[in-house]
Amino acid sequence: MATDEPLLPSGLVEARRTPLFDFRSLPDALARSHRTTVWAELHVQSGSVRYIDLEGESPRDVRLEPGDRAVIVPGVEHHVEPSTDAAFFVQFYREPDAGMIPGPVAVDSRRRFGPWEHRGRDLDTPEEIFEMVTRQYVDVVQDELLQPYFNFGPGFIDWQAHIRTVTDYWCHVVLYAPDYAIDTIENHRPLHDRDPFTPELFDRWLRIFHDTVDGGWAGPHATTAKKRATGMAWAMAQRFLGKGVWRPEGQR
């Protein structure tokens, strides 16, 4: 374990685990500096990984060897540099009362029903983005077109981990690094392969996203989120459906 390693808070339980990454398969979003919204650990199985905290009270710059691990503190910007022969994964953690919630049920323990109140501010903090993502998924899991993609059987989806992962993505593209192109499209390919996406599906998802943002936030960050969502939907449709099959409303 790395020197001066922070400790995981007691009582956390394992949630989502990433695939085993190597130098070539490391996603762009993780290859750049980024933050997580939950506690996590980076585990090295082979090769070595340099782990660098870019902020915090005691920033670390350590070389992790096989068997080593580094605790990742939520909200702390960090960077990883794997060796060409590295193999490693990230284990995320959750609170024990954030149970595995299968199917289209309540997404969070707070108030999870509409009509939503407008927040009277911009989408400019991780807390606001978390609220936006949570509101969005409340609608998604109740939508007849979108809900089947999130109901694959009991125990399949850890909603708490999933929402925080999505929150982390939107924090990155809206707050931390809005000019970076982060490709999450291939993460959706297994869903498309199992049940092919349709133009109607893209219309519905994008409408829910825009309605969620417009119903709660206004400002430059909210506008950026909608632009990035539109661009991501268009790029995904291009890749999965083919060029020209679907375009966002207003661009047809």
Side-chain angles (χ1 to χ4, degrees):
M1 186 172 292
T3 306
D4 298 327
E5 182 77 9
L7 300 177
L8 289 171
S10 61
L12 295 180
V13 296
E14 291 186 351
R16 184 177 65 89
R17 175 184 292 191
T18 69
L20 194 65
F21 295 128
D22 59 25
F23 179 78
R24 295 178 180 82
S25 65
L26 181 64
D28 289 343
L30 299 183
R32 301 186 178 98
S33 62
H34 60 283
R35 297 175 174 88
T36 65
T37 57
V38 295
W39 288 89
E41 279 185 323
L42 187 153
H43 294 252
V44 178
Q45 291 194 352
S46 63
S48 65
V49 177
R50 184 185 179 194
Y51 178 91
I52 309 163
D53 281 329
L54 301 178
E55 58 188 5
E57 295 182 359
S58 301
R60 295 162 290 166
D61 185 343
V62 295
R63 176 71 62 180
L64 304 173
E65 304 292 342
D68 289 344
R69 56 187 174 177
V71 171
I72 302 172
V73 180
V76 173
E77 186 176 6
H78 59 277
H79 177 65
V80 296
E81 297 177 358
S83 63
T84 56
D85 59 346
F88 61 100
F89 66 89
V90 177
Q91 174 68 60
F92 296 94
Y93 291 87
R94 60 183 172 86
E95 298 291 340
D97 58 351
M100 303 292 287
I101 307 175
V105 296
V107 176
D108 192 282
S109 60
R110 296 182 296 166
R111 173 182 50 84
R112 294 296 112 205
F113 52 83
W116 305 110
E117 295 180 358
H118 199 284
R119 306 283 282 187
R121 58 178 296 169
D122 198 3
L123 200 60
D124 55 2
T125 68
E127 291 75 21
E128 293 302 314
I129 290 178
F130 176 81
E131 176 71 14
M132 182 274 289
V133 172
T134 304
R135 291 184 181 191
Q136 179 192 7
Y137 273 95
V138 168
D139 287 339
V140 163
V141 298
Q142 298 180 72
D143 184 88
E144 70 277 8
L145 284 180
L146 298 171
Q147 180 271 324
Y149 292 92
F150 297 89
N151 186 22
F152 306 123
F156 189 91
I157 295 179
D158 182 341
W159 278 111
Q160 187 79 3
H162 179 72
I163 285 178
R164 290 194 180 278
T165 297
V166 176
T167 297
D168 192 55
Y169 167 80
W170 285 108
C171 284
H172 192 88
V173 301
V174 174
L175 301 179
Y176 307 144
D179 295 330
Y180 286 172
I182 301 176
D183 185 1
T184 64
I185 294 175
E186 289 304 314
N187 294 336
H188 295 80
R189 186 173 292 279
L191 298 175
H192 173 69
D193 290 343
R194 185 186 68 88
D195 189 0
F197 296 168
T198 65
E200 293 76 19
L201 195 76
F202 285 101
D203 281 336
R204 187 69 56 82
W205 180 85
L206 193 58
R207 185 180 309 120
I208 287 175
F209 189 96
H210 279 233
D211 287 349
T212 300
V213 174
D214 289 338
W217 297 269
H221 289 94
T223 299
T224 295
K226 291 187 293 182
K227 287 182 178 179
R228 291 300 295 264
T230 301
M232 181 176 66
W234 178 81
M236 189 179 299
Q238 290 276 94
R239 191 176 301 182
F240 290 167
L241 306 185
K243 293 184 178 180
V245 175
W246 179 85
R247 290 184 180 274
E249 187 175 350
Q251 301 181 23
R252 300 170 186 173

